[in-house]
mmCIF file of all heavy atoms in Angstrom:
data_model
loop_
_atom_site.group_PDB
_atom_site.id
_atom_site.type_symbol
_atom_site.label_atom_id
_atom_site.label_comp_id
_atom_site.label_asym_id
_atom_site.label_seq_id
_atom_site.Cartn_x
_atom_site.Cartn_y
_atom_site.Cartn_z
ATOM 1 N N ARG A 932 -75.924 67.071 -20.389
ATOM 2 C CA ARG A 932 -76.471 67.989 -19.412
ATOM 3 C C ARG A 932 -77.673 67.417 -18.727
ATOM 4 O O ARG A 932 -78.691 67.133 -19.265
ATOM 5 C CB ARG A 932 -76.894 69.363 -20.046
ATOM 6 C CG ARG A 932 -77.365 70.520 -19.151
ATOM 7 C CD ARG A 932 -76.194 71.021 -18.271
ATOM 8 N NE ARG A 932 -76.619 72.188 -17.571
ATOM 9 C CZ ARG A 932 -75.927 72.857 -16.643
ATOM 10 N NH1 ARG A 932 -74.666 72.516 -16.627
ATOM 11 N NH2 ARG A 932 -76.423 74.028 -16.015
ATOM 12 N N LYS A 939 -77.803 74.381 -6.778
ATOM 13 C CA LYS A 939 -77.231 75.457 -6.962
ATOM 14 C C LYS A 939 -75.953 75.411 -8.010
ATOM 15 O O LYS A 939 -75.620 74.282 -8.263
ATOM 16 C CB LYS A 939 -76.310 75.960 -5.603
ATOM 17 C CG LYS A 939 -77.342 76.310 -4.525
ATOM 18 C CD LYS A 939 -76.512 76.668 -3.343
ATOM 19 C CE LYS A 939 -77.571 77.124 -2.148
ATOM 20 N NZ LYS A 939 -76.824 77.342 -0.924
ATOM 21 N N PRO A 940 -75.647 76.437 -8.703
ATOM 22 C CA PRO A 940 -74.706 76.322 -9.743
ATOM 23 C C PRO A 940 -73.306 75.882 -9.298
ATOM 24 O O PRO A 940 -72.948 76.409 -8.094
ATOM 25 C CB PRO A 940 -74.640 77.637 -10.322
ATOM 26 C CG PRO A 940 -75.207 78.658 -9.430
ATOM 27 C CD PRO A 940 -76.142 77.849 -8.582
ATOM 28 N N THR A 941 -72.775 74.944 -9.796
ATOM 29 C CA THR A 941 -71.445 74.408 -9.293
ATOM 30 C C THR A 941 -70.396 75.368 -9.805
ATOM 31 O O THR A 941 -70.549 76.385 -10.549
ATOM 32 C CB THR A 941 -71.215 73.031 -9.909
ATOM 33 O OG1 THR A 941 -71.160 73.210 -11.362
ATOM 34 C CG2 THR A 941 -72.336 72.202 -9.499
ATOM 35 N N TRP A 942 -69.140 75.220 -9.222
ATOM 36 C CA TRP A 942 -67.992 76.051 -9.648
ATOM 37 C C TRP A 942 -67.735 75.906 -11.199
ATOM 38 O O TRP A 942 -67.219 76.872 -11.859
ATOM 39 C CB TRP A 942 -66.741 75.700 -8.881
ATOM 40 C CG TRP A 942 -66.275 74.363 -9.170
ATOM 41 C CD1 TRP A 942 -66.652 73.179 -8.554
ATOM 42 C CD2 TRP A 942 -65.234 73.926 -10.149
ATOM 43 N NE1 TRP A 942 -65.924 72.139 -9.135
ATOM 44 C CE2 TRP A 942 -65.052 72.666 -10.047
ATOM 45 C CE3 TRP A 942 -64.522 74.736 -11.035
ATOM 46 C CZ2 TRP A 942 -64.059 71.908 -10.910
ATOM 47 C CZ3 TRP A 942 -63.569 74.047 -11.765
ATOM 48 C CH2 TRP A 942 -63.448 72.612 -11.792
ATOM 49 N N ARG A 943 -68.129 74.698 -11.671
ATOM 50 C CA ARG A 943 -67.881 74.555 -13.167
ATOM 51 C C ARG A 943 -68.809 75.454 -13.828
ATOM 52 O O ARG A 943 -68.501 76.141 -14.961
ATOM 53 C CB ARG A 943 -68.211 73.203 -13.582
ATOM 54 C CG ARG A 943 -67.188 72.156 -12.980
ATOM 55 C CD ARG A 943 -67.609 70.685 -13.458
ATOM 56 N NE ARG A 943 -66.711 69.688 -12.886
ATOM 57 C CZ ARG A 943 -65.595 69.368 -13.312
ATOM 58 N NH1 ARG A 943 -65.060 69.919 -14.459
ATOM 59 N NH2 ARG A 943 -64.858 68.417 -12.619
ATOM 60 N N GLU A 944 -70.098 75.725 -13.436
ATOM 61 C CA GLU A 944 -71.083 76.530 -14.179
ATOM 62 C C GLU A 944 -70.679 78.043 -13.897
ATOM 63 O O GLU A 944 -70.829 78.759 -14.884
ATOM 64 C CB GLU A 944 -72.459 76.445 -13.504
ATOM 65 C CG GLU A 944 -73.077 74.944 -13.793
ATOM 66 C CD GLU A 944 -74.299 74.631 -13.249
ATOM 67 O OE1 GLU A 944 -74.737 75.523 -12.392
ATOM 68 O OE2 GLU A 944 -75.059 73.638 -13.370
ATOM 69 N N LYS A 945 -70.176 78.334 -12.787
ATOM 70 C CA LYS A 945 -69.755 79.652 -12.573
ATOM 71 C C LYS A 945 -68.522 79.996 -13.371
ATOM 72 O O LYS A 945 -68.406 81.116 -14.038
ATOM 73 C CB LYS A 945 -69.368 79.893 -10.978
ATOM 74 C CG LYS A 945 -70.456 79.810 -10.119
ATOM 75 C CD LYS A 945 -70.042 80.002 -8.680
ATOM 76 C CE LYS A 945 -71.119 79.884 -7.707
ATOM 77 N NZ LYS A 945 -70.704 80.093 -6.378
ATOM 78 N N GLU A 946 -67.702 79.087 -13.615
ATOM 79 C CA GLU A 946 -66.575 79.430 -14.364
ATOM 80 C C GLU A 946 -66.881 79.430 -15.881
ATOM 81 O O GLU A 946 -66.372 80.301 -16.591
ATOM 82 C CB GLU A 946 -65.515 78.142 -14.261
ATOM 83 C CG GLU A 946 -64.127 78.403 -14.914
ATOM 84 C CD GLU A 946 -63.390 79.437 -14.212
ATOM 85 O OE1 GLU A 946 -63.694 79.869 -13.098
ATOM 86 O OE2 GLU A 946 -62.470 80.050 -14.874
ATOM 87 N N ALA A 947 -67.925 78.655 -16.300
ATOM 88 C CA ALA A 947 -68.392 78.834 -17.706
ATOM 89 C C ALA A 947 -69.022 80.161 -17.964
ATOM 90 O O ALA A 947 -69.036 80.613 -18.981
ATOM 91 C CB ALA A 947 -69.446 77.604 -17.970
ATOM 92 N N ALA A 948 -69.826 80.599 -16.956
ATOM 93 C CA ALA A 948 -70.556 81.920 -17.090
ATOM 94 C C ALA A 948 -69.434 83.039 -17.272
ATOM 95 O O ALA A 948 -69.602 83.983 -18.026
ATOM 96 C CB ALA A 948 -71.484 82.147 -15.928
ATOM 97 N N ARG A 949 -68.475 82.916 -16.497
ATOM 98 C CA ARG A 949 -67.329 83.982 -16.519
ATOM 99 C C ARG A 949 -66.788 83.843 -17.796
ATOM 100 O O ARG A 949 -66.421 84.980 -18.551
ATOM 101 C CB ARG A 949 -66.400 83.761 -15.479
ATOM 102 C CG ARG A 949 -65.332 84.867 -15.220
ATOM 103 C CD ARG A 949 -64.428 84.529 -14.103
ATOM 104 N NE ARG A 949 -63.625 83.324 -14.484
ATOM 105 C CZ ARG A 949 -62.420 83.406 -15.222
ATOM 106 N NH1 ARG A 949 -62.171 84.400 -15.777
ATOM 107 N NH2 ARG A 949 -61.976 82.292 -15.402
ATOM 108 N N LEU A 950 -66.502 82.732 -18.373
ATOM 109 C CA LEU A 950 -65.790 82.702 -19.646
ATOM 110 C C LEU A 950 -66.777 83.259 -20.831
ATOM 111 O O LEU A 950 -66.426 83.852 -21.695
ATOM 112 C CB LEU A 950 -65.512 81.152 -19.931
ATOM 113 C CG LEU A 950 -64.351 80.566 -19.123
ATOM 114 C CD1 LEU A 950 -64.132 79.139 -19.389
ATOM 115 C CD2 LEU A 950 -63.128 81.338 -19.386
ATOM 116 N N ALA A 951 -68.128 83.015 -20.640
ATOM 117 C CA ALA A 951 -69.057 83.465 -21.574
ATOM 118 C C ALA A 951 -69.073 85.084 -21.475
ATOM 119 O O ALA A 951 -69.217 85.747 -22.577
ATOM 120 C CB ALA A 951 -70.407 83.053 -21.355
ATOM 121 N N ALA A 952 -69.029 85.591 -20.278
ATOM 122 C CA ALA A 952 -68.877 87.042 -20.263
ATOM 123 C C ALA A 952 -67.679 87.595 -20.815
ATOM 124 O O ALA A 952 -67.700 88.694 -21.562
ATOM 125 C CB ALA A 952 -69.003 87.523 -18.725
ATOM 126 N N ASP A 1004 -65.348 71.431 -17.910
ATOM 127 C CA ASP A 1004 -66.622 71.542 -17.089
ATOM 128 C C ASP A 1004 -67.680 70.847 -17.914
ATOM 129 O O ASP A 1004 -67.524 70.123 -18.912
ATOM 130 C CB ASP A 1004 -66.932 73.144 -17.088
ATOM 131 C CG ASP A 1004 -67.130 73.774 -18.497
ATOM 132 O OD1 ASP A 1004 -66.848 73.076 -19.547
ATOM 133 O OD2 ASP A 1004 -67.620 74.788 -18.485
ATOM 134 N N ILE A 1005 -68.862 71.031 -17.449
ATOM 135 C CA ILE A 1005 -69.924 70.210 -18.101
ATOM 136 C C ILE A 1005 -70.278 70.641 -19.465
ATOM 137 O O ILE A 1005 -70.990 70.019 -20.271
ATOM 138 C CB ILE A 1005 -71.241 70.251 -17.107
ATOM 139 C CG1 ILE A 1005 -71.688 71.754 -16.960
ATOM 140 C CG2 ILE A 1005 -70.874 69.699 -15.802
ATOM 141 C CD1 ILE A 1005 -72.898 71.966 -16.192
#
Side-chain angles (χ1 to χ4, degrees):
R932 179 73 174 181
K939 295 181 180 181
T941 62
W942 66 272
R943 295 180 184 274
E944 294 175 350
K945 294 178 180 180
E946 190 67 17
R949 188 179 65 80
L950 290 177
D1004 60 351
I1005 55 177

